[in-house]
Each structure stands twice: as C-alpha cells, then as structure tokens.
Amino acid sequence: MKLEVEGLCFSYSGKPVLEGITFSAGVGEVVGIIGQNGCGKTTLLSCINALYAPSSGEARIDGVSIRGMPKRDVAKKIAFVTQSANITFPFTVFDTVMMGRYPWVGFEGNSRERDLEAVYRAMRDTGVLDFADRPVNELSGGERRRVMIARALAQEPEVLLLDEPTLHLDISHQFDLMELVRGLAAEKGITVLIVTHDIVLAARYCGRVMILKDRGIYRIGDTEKIMLSDNLRDAFFIDADVSRDERFGISVLIVGRDKRGEGDPPGGGCGGG
Amino acid sequence: MEGIESLEDMRRYQRGAGRRAATTVAASAAFLAALFFVTLTIGNYGISLGDVFGILLGSVRDDTAEYVLKDVRIPRLLCAVIVGSALSTSGLAMQSMFKNPMASPSVLGISSGAAFGASLALAFGAGSFLGSFAVPGMAFIFCFLTMGAVYLIAHTKYGVASVTLLLAGIAMGAFFGGLTSLMQYMVRDDVLASIVYWTMGSFNNCGWTSFKLAILPIAAGIAIMMLSVRELNLISSGEDQASNMGVNVKRLRIMMIVAASLSVGGSVAISGVIGFVGLIVPHIFRMIAGPNHAVLMPLCVFGGGAFMLLMDTVAKSAFEMILPVGVLTSLVGAPFFIYVMRARKKELWG
C-alpha cells in the first residue's frame, strides 16, 4: 500500500476531533472523503501531511512514518492543495508553479533543468501553459485552482491531498477538474485523497469513498458499496436516490431532508471545518 | 504570453524573465553608484565632480576638500546607503513574513523599541558588557524583543491578522516611545540631546566610527535575508502553504526576526529612527519588478541605499536649515502610507 494511516487520533486543545482513523490507499487510487461540516475532514488531511501532529497513531508512505520526517522530505512525497488560496502578492503563474520545486532544490540529482521540466509538465497537464506570465490574482477561480494543482504536481508527489477542489467552481469546471484529477491519478499513479462536500461528484469520480462521522470512519469501501441511500441518510440526514447510469456510472440524486431525522438536531459538528 | 507550447518555449520564457531581472538589478546598482558620486559634490563646501575623482585618484591636491570628502562626506553617505539598504530589506522581509503590505520597521514599532534600547545604553550605560557595541547591541536586543512581542501578540493559529498586527505594532511603538520620553525627563542635558537626535533620525553625526559600528550587523542581517529569498517567496503566499511545500516555517520566522533585528538594530544605532523607508522602498520595487524576492531583495539593497542617499541629500541641502532626514522621510512617507492603505485595501483587510 502507498499510503497507510493507522490509529490516528487528533485533538484541538483537549477536544478530540479524530479518533482511531485507520485506512490505506494504493497507487493511483482516488479516495473521496465526505462527511458533515466539522467532522474533521480537513484535519485528517493536515495530519497526514504532518502540518498537525497527531496525538497518537501515524501516517506512513511506503511503510515509512511521516512523523519526525524533515518537512522537505514530506513535501517530496505529499502535496496538499488547501481550500483557501488567498494571494497577497501578485506572483506570475510560472513563478507560482516553480515554488512547488522548493523541496527538491539542492537535492542530489536535481537541477535547474529538471525543475523546468517538472514545471513544464505540471503546467501542460493542468492546461495552464497559456497564462504562464499572468499574475495569479488576475485569474478566474477555476484557472487559479488549476494553477494550485499544477504547483502541487511540480512537487512530483506520490500522494496528492485535495481539500474541496471544486468549491466555488461552476458545474462545468467542476467536472473538468475532477476529470483532470482522475486522469492524473491513472496516468502518473498518484494516490489522491479528495475532501469534498459534493456527494454527486464523489460518487462519480472516486474509486473509493470514506464517510467520516463522530470523529471516526463511519464507512469506507468501493464507491458503489458505500454510496447507498442508508449510509447517506445516516451520515447527512438526507434522502437520496442512488442509481446507476449506463453512460456515466453511479448517479446520486439528493431528494431532500430525511423526514425521520426530524426533531433530532442534525449535526454532531465539532467546530473547525 | 504569446504561446508557450513546448519545453523550449518555456526555457526561452524563463531565460527572458531572468535577463529582465538581472538588467533591473544591474541598473539599480549603477544608479546607486552614479548617485553616490553626484551626492559627494553636494554640500556647503563646493567640490566639483571632476575634483571628487581627482582627489580620490590622488591627482588633485586640496587638503580641505580632501578632508571634507574623505572624512565627512564619504562616511556619511556610506552610512546613509547601508541604513537605507538595511531598512528596505527588513521592511520587505516583514511584509512577506506577515503577509501584509503595511508592515515595516517603523510601522510595527520595532524602530521605537530599538531607539529605546539605544537610549538605555546612552543614558545609563546599559549593555556595557558589549563593549564598543553597547549602543547597537542594545538596539538589536530591543529590536528582537519588540518584533518577537508584536509577532506573538498578532499571531493566532489562523495566521497573522492584519489589523491585530498593525494595532500590536502601534501599541508597542507607543509603549517604547513613552519610555524613551520618560527617560528624556530624567537625564542630563547632553544625554538628552543625543536621545532626541536618536528619536528624530539623522546622519549628521555619522562618521567612519558609525560606519564601522553598523556595517557588520547590517551586512549579516542582509546576508541572511538574501539567502532566504526562496523561503520568503513561499511564505508570502501563506504559512500553511509554505509549510506544505516543505518550508520549516518556525525556523524561517526566527531567522527573519534575527536578520531584521540585526539590520534595524545596526541602523538605529547610528542614525536613530528613520521612518517609512522600509515601507516605501519595497512597494516601489514590487510595482516595478513584481513580487519575486530573488529580484526584489537585491533591488531593495541598491534601491534602498539610493533612496536614502537622495533623502539625506535633500534634507541637508534643499532647505535653509539642515533637516534631520527622519523628518523628511516621515513627511514623504505618511502620505505614501495613506496611499498604500487606500490602493491596497483589499489585500489589507482581505
């Protein structure tokens, strides 16, 4: 297994957010992580990426624990595209993607030429070559998201963590972006974890899905076995029809708020998000 | 870009950008050098540009002119250059580290802290264990403490909030300003004069001794910042993102606080508090050359030096009396500050 997470626990100032998270993901797999606001999805990514230190448990890549690994070594293996991409200073797209080469600078076997090649490939694969010299802050939301993914690809990671990659994109760009991600995983063998609120897209594009609830993994498995009306009702208090479309695959239709949950406050949210 | 399609196109693009950057930096260095020689001719005692070269090369003999040039103007202007460079580069590093276009040594109260440290050394001989480095040493220590305090006050787990940062800076600046004023009440007249000199900011007392005192800490500080341009690029787009790309944020933060304290401490020790230079210069060059620190940092070294030379020359020769340069930079800087605040509102509050 490429990525293994074992018994991972994390608390924010004494308040447990994640408890006993154990799962693994193989080469080229796309795993969707869904769950209500504040259920610890982003926190889980941050722990895998060693941005936060878990209180116990660990994440391993190829059997090597991330804990105690120098930051730059982590960044060579894991790239994390965060939700917010607020930009104070107007770097060009080229300079921005080049930043992704930081973990490799001065590393044996790396060179300016290799940096340039990696940046070129990353920009070509994400389709941002056209605006290489435009300032990032002048791009549209969808373009900027692709630039951030290009920067992550320039790190030449083995694992790619995406936090809400389709947020604020129009429906057509959402599909484009998910196709891009699935293609990258398949072609380059990158293991991708996607945190998303979009159940429809997760059902369509992720090979496996994990539902987080009550600080732990409520369900994990192949998408068709997890994307079931019962599971969605339990996790989100919604009524959803799940069917299979011959052309596109799994299709989730969210019908409405589950009536049986009434009187019972939906939630279990625990801050953050 | 008119069509980057192949790797070769991109190589060409990178080369072009590199060449443009190198040209800009070289031009700023040439401008500084030319300005230096021109400003050497300006002052009460008239020395023509030809005589300046003549005296320096030994072909012109004029004892008074030689004294004025070698023992008064050259060291004073060199001091102006290194202080300008130090304040500009520190301002740049702070703006990037705090992700805030309003940050600078004077706005964040750091210069006031340093001035208080220097005053302590002057008035009570504090820091005498540092020997002849007592004044810059104390300035450095208080720079470091003030900057650390401002950072700790403004920093939360969600990053540094602009408003909190500026308010923390104002509070620290006011606090140390108050302490310095208090000291002015307590000391003898001659010490009072030198403290007042410190709080106004001027190169009038700068000679070779000042230069020798300041050059080491300033050079060390600038060197650290020059070596961190990649990390500064990354951190200016957010601490978490920098960390995700492998930057050791904690170490970088400490290194930048040390580097800025060395530079600002060295500057304040010889010239006192000269406001707004660290705010203005990085902005001017960011508008010209973009936000890449590999270009901006050397530009701030040369351009900051040139800016200060210009300011000092105007302050000492454009008016009936010799103004302290700090007064002039404040008069120019305050409107600029307001401009930045209005023009860059989105970044500031966003």
Side-chain angles (χ1 to χ4, degrees), chain A residues 1-6 8 23-28 45 47-50 57-80 104 155-161 189-193, chain B residues 244:
Chain A
M1 278 290 145
K2 178 51 73 181
L3 172 72
E4 295 164 290
V5 174
E6 195 180 319
L8 191 139
F23 72 97
S24 58
V27 171
L45 294 191
C47 286
I48 293 175
N49 192 40
E58 63 178 14
R60 290 189 294 267
I61 288 200
D62 293 325
V64 181
S65 174
I66 297 296
R67 185 180 283 239
M69 199 185 267
K71 286 252 173 230
R72 286 184 21 150
D73 291 348
V74 176
K76 280 181 205 154
K77 295 183 180 299
I78 308 179
F80 186 4
W104 297 94
Q155 286 173 241
E156 301 187 309
E158 295 163 23
V159 175
L160 179 60
L161 310 176
I190 301 175
T191 303
V192 183
L193 301 191
Chain B
N244 288 337

Side-chain angles (χ1 to χ4, degrees), chain B residues 298-313:
Chain B
L299 277 180
C300 280
V301 172
F302 298 124
F307 180 83
M308 191 65 98
L309 264 186
L310 214 55
M311 283 291 152
D312 183 47
T313 305

Side-chain angles (χ1 to χ4, degrees), chain A residues 7-268:
Chain A
L8 191 139
C9 302
F10 181 81
S11 25
Y12 264 126
S13 39
K15 195 174 164 197
V17 179
L18 295 170
E19 282 172 342
I21 304 285
T22 301
F23 72 97
S24 58
V27 171
E29 234 188 314
V30 179
V31 181
I33 303 175
I34 59 175
Q36 291 199 340
N37 280 340
C39 71
K41 302 185 295 289
T42 303
T43 308
L44 175 58
L45 294 191
S46 300
C47 286
I48 293 175
N49 192 40
L51 188 62
Y52 298 157
S55 43
S56 67
E58 63 178 14
R60 290 189 294 267
I61 288 200
D62 293 325
V64 181
S65 174
I66 297 296
R67 185 180 283 239
M69 199 185 267
K71 286 252 173 230
R72 286 184 21 150
D73 291 348
V74 176
K76 280 181 205 154
K77 295 183 180 299
I78 308 179
F80 186 4
V81 180
T82 49
Q83 234 178 80
S84 70
N86 73 17
I87 287 144
T88 312
F89 300 111
F91 285 96
T92 61
V93 169
F94 178 80
D95 284 346
T96 305
V97 178
M98 193 49 104
M99 287 180 194
R101 294 304 294 166
Y102 178 76
W104 297 94
V105 170
F107 184 69
E108 206 183 308
N110 193 51
S111 64
R112 280 177 62 93
E113 185 58 28
R114 273 218 52 192
D115 288 340
L116 191 69
E117 280 166 23
V119 167
Y120 173 74
R121 276 196 303 271
M123 290 178 68
R124 183 196 57 199
D125 294 346
T126 49
V128 299
L129 279 174
D130 281 345
F131 19 92
D133 68 344
R134 298 236 324 259
V136 180
N137 52 340
E138 287 175 10
L139 302 179
S140 74
E143 289 166 341
R144 199 182 293 187
R145 208 59 62 82
R146 264 148 61 203
V147 170
M148 292 303 146
I149 293 177
R151 183 173 71 181
L153 291 179
Q155 286 173 241
E156 301 187 309
E158 295 163 23
V159 175
L160 179 60
L161 310 176
L162 301 172
D163 193 2
E164 306 258 18
T166 55
L167 196 71
H168 302 316
L169 299 187
D170 66 54
I171 187 74
S172 148
H173 281 96
Q174 291 183 13
F175 278 109
D176 286 348
L177 197 120
M178 293 302 281
E179 306 242 329
L180 170 71
V181 169
R182 191 167 64 176
L184 290 170
E187 283 160 33
K188 297 178 186 296
I190 301 175
T191 303
V192 183
L193 301 191
I194 303 181
V195 160
T196 183
H197 279 303
D198 199 315
I199 299 169
V200 178
L201 285 177
R204 190 66 54 77
Y205 287 100
C206 299
R208 283 202 299 156
V209 168
M210 171 197 302
I211 301 178
L212 284 181
K213 193 186 172 194
D214 299 331
R215 298 179 294 284
I217 297 179
Y218 174 64
R219 292 278 188 277
I220 182 168
D222 293 341
T223 305
E224 62 262 33
K225 296 196 181 111
I226 302 300
M227 283 292 179
L228 302 173
S229 299
D230 288 349
N231 286 340
L232 293 175
R233 181 181 306 115
D234 292 346
F236 295 100
F237 306 98
I238 54 166
D239 218 331
D241 284 346
V242 182
S243 61
R244 212 181 154 83
D245 185 281
E246 276 174 25
R247 292 161 302 167
F248 299 111
I250 301 170
S251 177
V252 177
L253 175 69
I254 295 162
V255 184
R257 163 71 63 207
D258 174 44
K259 291 298 178 196
R260 276 178 288 172
E262 250 177 356
D264 213 357

